[in-house]
Structures are given as structure tokens and as C-alpha cells.
Amino acid sequence: MNILVIGSGGREHAIAKKLIEDERVTNVYCAKGNPGMKKDGIIPVNIAEDDHTGLIAFAEEKQIDWTFVGPEIPLLNGIVDDFQKAGLKIFGPTKAAAMIEGSKEFAKKIMSQNKIPTADYQAFTSYDEAVAYVEEKGAPIVVKADGLAAGKGVVVAETNEQAIQALHEMLKENRFGQNGEKVVIEEFLAGEEFSLMAFVDGSAVYPMVIAQDHKRAYDGDKGPNTGGMGAYSPVPQISDEVVQTAVETILKPAAKGMIANGTPFQGILYAGLIATADGPKVIEFNARFGDPETQVILPRLTSSLAQLVIDLLAHQEPNITWSDQAAVGVVVAAEGYPQNYAAGMPIPSIEGCPVYYSGVAGEDNLSANGGRVFLVEANGETLEEAREKVYRALADAKLSKMFYRYDIGDKALIKN
Ligand code: AMP
Ligand code: GLY
């Protein structure tokens, strides 16, 4: 079996590595991939994610059995629709279904139609009306650019002034380009955050184990929002009961709601949730695997990922099993990330732990060329053990002009 993975980051590295574990898989190609993936036998292919014609031609030439889409941008560009039109198998939502991630307003519509618990919100294009709404509701309050802004279009405002400044940047200064022409203002949800993902095929929902991401750049959840600085799984402070409630009140109604909306979903449905005093509530849906959650969740999958995708593509019930082991993943980022960051630094070898590469270039000698450079992951009988292994491996590595958070997983350890 030959498989093509679309994407180039640590998430795609983890997906491709898991696919390769199935002995029936001959080649896993990754477009564009990155050279760090070669260490695990994955073959990077130099075709851009938005070159659908080029990707389709490649899939035909290499007799790719099916394609797996990692990131949201190709999904929203309709890569699934284009592959299907060409008669090729591909796993991921259509462009219309990926709008659950691509537009906060679309997601909110699906949620209100299906009574899915989420923060109260209102959408605005007028700056003056948005400011009036903030003044009426009062801080803390959350301001989000509608559309994709790579996790950076969200401001959790602690004061009315901060919210109004964010509105100014989004609606008056167009800081997020087209995305910022519309904003969503949301009620602030207090509680512990967690990520619940599921394999979805129409109304069939197969939940994964949960993880917790660390979105802020620095220790203690300080600094700007990033794409994610590390993750761990399981999340013991979130009870099984809360997870079950989230599956029943959020994921299953969302999958059914997408069918009722005429946009059935096949792929990975990601719910970013807050465990509030009134139960789990949605802060966002994504139409794909989370990054870096995937790098700690897939190592816990003990059944074949390739078989799982084959079953879902055939609309059959898959066999899914998970390990009880814990996993911790710590992102190493370039100095300056998420603003302007350093590049060109050599990547040290990391001993004893799996490494998932993202922003790297070069051939035999890898160097940094992205904000998030790589993620070091470790498994253990407990979170403590996994965490200790990761930080020991990182302490032994010579890192120049790169940084990482020292507190990934601390929240779980403090509370238990
Ligand atoms: P998002 O890109 O929507 O995931 O938002 C980025 C981060 O902002 C989330 O991971 C949360 O930590 C925080 N956030 C977003 N929406 C809310 C909300 N309604 N209440 C509290 N925190 C939020
Ligand atoms: N880790 C958050 C995301 O993938 O959107």
C-alpha cells in the first residue's frame, strides 16, 4: 500500500510515522513534508499543498491507494473535492464541511441549531456596534477574527480597553487581512481546557483519548498565543464522565448537525473544549488533527491507523485500541517565535525519545527554518515518568537560539 500525506509539520510527521507502522504499507510520501521525516523512512515530496493538479498527478503516477490531509488550508481549498473528482480516495472533510473550522460563524450556526453548549457570542462587521457590545457585556471577554488566523486571531481580553483595542486592530487596521473583516465576540468561559478529537464518518463518531495543549509561548501560560508549545495525554484532571458528556452533547450532535446541514463530515473532528461548572463547552471546532496534540495522541494508538482510515473510507466500523501509557510532547521553537524568529541554527540529535520535526531544512545536517522547529515526545507508565524523560533528553541537547516551555504537563501533576 502506498499512502500520501499532505502537510509538512510535526503533526504530519506523527501521522505518517503511525501509518508506516502497518507492515502492509510500502511507502508513505509527504507533500511537502520536511527533511527531518526521512529519519523515520517517510519520503518528502516537493509539491506545494495548494498545487492540487500536481498532487493528483503524483498520486496517479505513484499509485497512491489513498491520501490523508493534515492541515486545514488544503481542506478549505477543496483538496478533498478535487481528489474525489479525479476518482482518487482521500481522507478528510470536503471544503463545505471544513467550514466548521474555516468560519466561526458557520460553527456557531451548527452549534445553535443542534443545541451544542458553547460560549454566547455575536458577530460584528461594524466597529462601533462591536464596541457598544463589549461595553454592554464587559470584560473578561473574548474577541476572535472570523476565519483562519493560525491561532493568533484570538484575544482573551481582561479589560474592556484590551477588547476595544483588539477590535480596532481587526476591524479598522485589518491586522488579519480579509479574515478580520468580521469578528466574533464571545463570552469568556472559565475552566480547564482540553482537546477532544474523534474519527468521524457521517453520523459515526469514534472518539480518541484526550490531550491538553499549551497555547501560550512562555511558562505559566504567559506571553502571546502560539500554534501550541506542547501537549500531554491523558488529562487526569478531566474525568471520564466529562469526556463522555462531551461526546454525547458535542461531538455526536455536531456530526448529525453537519448531515442535516447538507455538509456531512468525514475526517478528524477536533473540539477545543472548556470544562466549565455547567459541563463541557466548545471554544472551537477544527476539521483536522490538532498540532501538537497528535504527537502525543497517536503514540498511544495501539491499533493500526492505516486500517482505521481504510475502514472509515469504506464506511465500516473500525477497531480502535489505546495504550494506558502517558505521553508528553514539548515543542522546541526558534527564539522570537511567534513574532520574527531566528533561523539557520543547527538541530542537535535527541537521544532516547521520538522527535517530530516541523520547521527544519537541509539534508544530512538539519537546520531550523520555522517558528516551531521540532517536538520531543516521551511515553511512560505515568505522566511524571514521560515528562521526566522528555526534559532529560532536552537538557542533554545543545540548543542554540531556541527555547521551550519547562512546564508542559504541570497542571496535571499539580492537581493530582
Ligand atoms: P482558539 O483559537 O479559538 O482556540 O482560541 C485560542 C485560545 O484562547 C484558546 O485555546 C483558549 O485558551 C482561549 N479562548 C478562546 N475562546 C475562549 C473563551 N470563550 N473563553 C475562554 N478562553 C477562550
Ligand atoms: N493545537 C491546536 C490546534 O491544532 O488548533
Side-chain angles (χ1 to χ4, degrees):
M1 194 173 4
N2 293 314
I3 303 170
L4 172 62
V5 176
I6 311 281
S8 64
R11 164 183 52 206
E12 287 74 26
H13 188 164
I15 294 166
K17 184 176 172 187
K18 199 73 201 177
L19 290 170
I20 261 180
E21 277 177 13
D22 191 308
E23 57 196 18
R24 295 164 301 169
V25 173
T26 321
N27 293 303
V28 176
Y29 300 93
C30 193
K32 276 187 165 197
N34 71 62
M37 295 177 173
K38 289 197 271 189
K39 292 182 197 280
D40 288 316
I42 302 151
I43 310 165
V45 179
N46 192 15
I47 304 174
E49 277 168 29
D50 61 1
D51 179 4
H52 296 191
T53 314
L55 291 167
I56 287 169
F58 177 85
E60 285 168 346
E61 181 201 325
K62 296 288 182 189
Q63 300 187 322
I64 297 295
D65 290 273
W66 43 267
T67 298
F68 192 110
V69 190
E72 63 278 17
I73 291 176
L75 294 170
L76 285 157
N77 284 338
I79 196 164
V80 169
D81 313 61
D82 288 347
F83 268 61
Q84 285 174 346
K85 265 182 228 143
L88 295 170
K89 283 190 188 161
I90 184 162
F91 186 69
T94 59
K95 179 176 179 160
M99 287 306 281
I100 196 162
E101 169 163 9
S103 163
K104 301 253 184 225
E105 239 198 316
F106 177 93
K108 288 290 190 185
K109 184 187 86 177
I110 295 288
M111 287 188 266
S112 73
Q113 285 171 348
N114 296 282
K115 304 196 170 50
I116 294 171
T118 184
D120 284 339
Y121 84 108
Q122 206 157 317
F124 295 92
T125 50
S126 152
Y127 172 75
D128 291 338
E129 286 171 21
V131 170
Y133 185 78
V134 164
E135 280 167 349
E136 179 199 327
K137 295 283 173 184
I141 198 159
V142 183
V143 179
K144 301 185 175 187
D146 193 45
L148 296 174
K152 291 150 206 154
V154 176
V155 175
V156 180
E158 278 154 31
T159 63
N160 288 10
E161 289 67 39
Q162 279 172 7
I164 291 166
Q165 189 194 334
L167 289 172
H168 199 271
E169 286 172 3
M170 290 178 194
L171 291 172
K172 291 270 185 195
E173 298 162 39
N174 281 338
R175 268 275 291 277
F176 298 98
Q178 266 196 327
N179 291 333
E181 283 171 12
K182 192 184 281 171
V183 299
V184 169
I185 303 181
E186 240 179 49
E187 167 198 7
F188 173 79
L189 296 177
E192 184 99 16
E193 195 170 341
F194 67 104
S195 307
L196 171 62
M197 299 191 275
F199 299 96
V200 173
D201 174 37
S203 62
V205 170
Y206 306 101
M208 302 185 205
V209 292
I210 62 169
Q212 188 173 61
D213 187 8
H214 296 62
K215 292 229 166 97
R216 301 294 194 106
Y218 313 128
D219 283 12
D221 290 335
K222 300 273 182 333
N225 259 320
T226 70
M229 293 299 293
Y232 63 96
S233 174
V235 188
Q237 64 276 35
I238 304 291
S239 69
D240 290 346
E241 194 192 335
V242 168
V243 175
Q244 258 321 305
T245 304
V247 169
E248 297 303 326
T249 63
I250 293 167
L251 290 181
K252 288 185 180 173
K256 288 213 176 80
M258 290 296 276
I259 296 172
N261 191 57
T263 50
F265 191 98
Q266 184 182 63
I268 309 295
L269 183 61
Y270 168 124
L273 303 174
I274 297 207
T276 74
D278 302 330
K281 293 191 181 180
V282 176
I283 50 173
E284 65 168 345
F285 278 119
N286 292 324
R288 48 156 180 92
F289 264 124
D291 190 343
E293 289 94 328
T294 305
Q295 294 91 308
V296 295
I297 286 179
L298 285 184
R300 299 188 57 205
L301 180 69
T302 47
S303 49
S304 162
L305 179 62
Q307 186 60 48
L308 211 168
V309 176
I310 292 166
D311 291 340
L312 293 173
L313 285 170
H315 310 297
Q316 277 163 9
E317 187 171 342
N319 164 49
I320 308 177
T321 53
W322 301 98
S323 139
D324 287 335
Q325 285 217 326
V328 175
V330 177
V331 169
V332 177
E335 218 172 78
Y337 176 76
Q339 280 92 32
N340 290 337
Y341 50 77
M345 299 79 80
I347 309 294
S349 64
I350 303 286
E351 302 302 327
C353 288
V355 177
Y356 297 107
Y357 293 94
S358 41
V360 297
E363 287 302 319
D364 296 334
N365 296 311
L366 297 177
S367 62
N369 84 333
R372 289 190 289 175
V373 183
F374 60 92
L375 173 144
V376 181
E377 188 263 327
N379 304 319
E381 291 306 318
T382 60
L383 280 170
E384 264 124 328
E385 189 188 319
R387 195 176 170 284
E388 205 184 295
K389 277 193 208 162
V390 169
Y391 282 113
R392 200 179 322 123
L394 280 164
D396 290 345
K398 280 209 170 55
L399 297 174
S400 100
K401 291 196 183 165
M402 288 181 262
F403 74 99
Y404 56 86
R405 280 182 59 162
Y406 291 85
D407 63 347
I408 305 301
D410 276 9
K411 272 192 214 158
L413 303 179
I414 292 163
K415 292 204 180 151
N416 286 272

